[in-house]
Amino acid sequence: MEEHYRAIIEAIGENPDREGLLRTPHRAARAMEFLTQGYEQDLDEIVNGAVFESANDEMVIVKDIELYSLCEHHLLPFFGRAHVAYLPSGRVIGLSKIPRIVDMYARRLQIQENLTQQIGQSIEQVTGAVGVAVVIEAQHLCAMMRGVEKQSSRMITSVMLGRFRDDPRTRQEFLELIRSSGR
């Protein structure tokens, strides 16, 4: 990967042997490995058995989960926050596992629409929940730094599964709770 970054530096007309750029191909390669580490992870590994029996059947929400990803179309970052909720059906997942699942999928080349679905489907699969909801709000550097250059634009995506899709009251409760203060 380092050789490719060196070639990119040369292709834009820079000298990769210039003092400030000498180790840039190495640093850029390590950064890309970090930013795409989600390809090396899998759901079972992330969850690591942290699903527990519970009689709770009320909504569980983890909101304002920071996320950082790379747009698969331009290899530019997008970043924002995810809100994830589920309605348990006899099992709950360890609290830290939800942000880890978000990170696993965000640390891949992505589009926000797919990222939202992947998170929702994974939470549903792992917990057996009767409903899962995910909302992601993110800013995309591909729309801010190039193209339309709209710095204030945000993209919002959602996926509603099970009762969140079928029951408007459950969906509304979730949306009101993620809008509430306490950030």
Side-chain angles (χ1 to χ4, degrees):
M1 198 179 315
E2 286 182 40
E3 290 175 22
H4 295 290
Y5 276 111
R6 182 177 174 83
I8 290 169
I9 291 168
E10 289 173 342
I12 64 171
E14 260 291 0
N15 176 4
D17 294 320
R18 180 169 63 80
E19 181 183 8
L21 294 174
L22 276 175
R23 296 208 16 92
T24 297
H26 173 76
R27 288 189 298 267
R30 297 300 77 78
M32 184 59 75
E33 288 172 359
F34 177 81
L35 295 172
T36 59
Q37 67 185 315
Y39 290 114
E40 303 299 321
Q41 299 171 317
D42 71 24
L43 190 57
D44 291 335
E45 184 180 289
I46 293 293
V47 174
N48 194 27
V51 179
F52 310 100
E53 289 186 27
S54 174
N56 179 43
D57 63 356
E58 298 294 328
M59 191 180 305
V60 176
I61 301 175
V62 182
K63 69 182 231 176
D64 294 322
I65 303 166
E66 294 176 0
L67 68 87
Y68 303 91
S69 194
L70 289 175
C71 163
E72 68 183 35
H73 299 140
H74 304 99
L75 299 183
L76 289 173
F78 68 91
F79 58 93
R81 55 198 172 120
H83 312 292
V84 179
Y86 69 101
L87 296 166
S89 177
R91 300 179 343 167
V92 294
I93 188 170
L95 173 62
S96 71
K97 302 309 179 181
I98 293 174
R100 289 179 196 277
I101 290 169
V102 170
D103 283 346
M104 179 182 75
Y105 289 111
R107 298 288 187 195
R108 299 175 181 188
L109 301 181
Q110 279 289 9
I111 60 172
Q112 185 174 327
E113 298 90 334
N114 291 348
L115 175 60
T116 309
Q117 272 198 328
Q118 291 164 349
I119 294 165
Q121 290 168 349
S122 293
I123 298 295
E124 183 180 55
Q125 173 188 331
V126 168
T127 63
V130 296
V132 175
V134 179
V135 171
I136 295 178
E137 180 179 347
Q139 293 177 273
H140 293 250
L141 291 185
C142 58
M144 296 169 70
M145 293 178 65
R146 56 161 304 284
V148 296
E149 297 184 60
K150 301 300 178 201
Q151 279 64 52
S152 297
S153 66
R154 294 185 185 333
M155 180 177 189
I156 300 173
T157 52
S158 70
V159 64
M160 304 288 166
L161 304 172
R163 284 212 350 234
F164 286 98
R165 178 181 288 270
D166 301 335
D167 183 348
R169 293 172 302 157
T170 302
R171 181 174 45 254
Q172 187 61 35
E173 178 184 354
F174 165 67
L175 294 173
E176 286 175 11
L177 287 169
I178 66 171
R179 278 189 217 118
S180 68
S181 63
R183 279 179 96 193

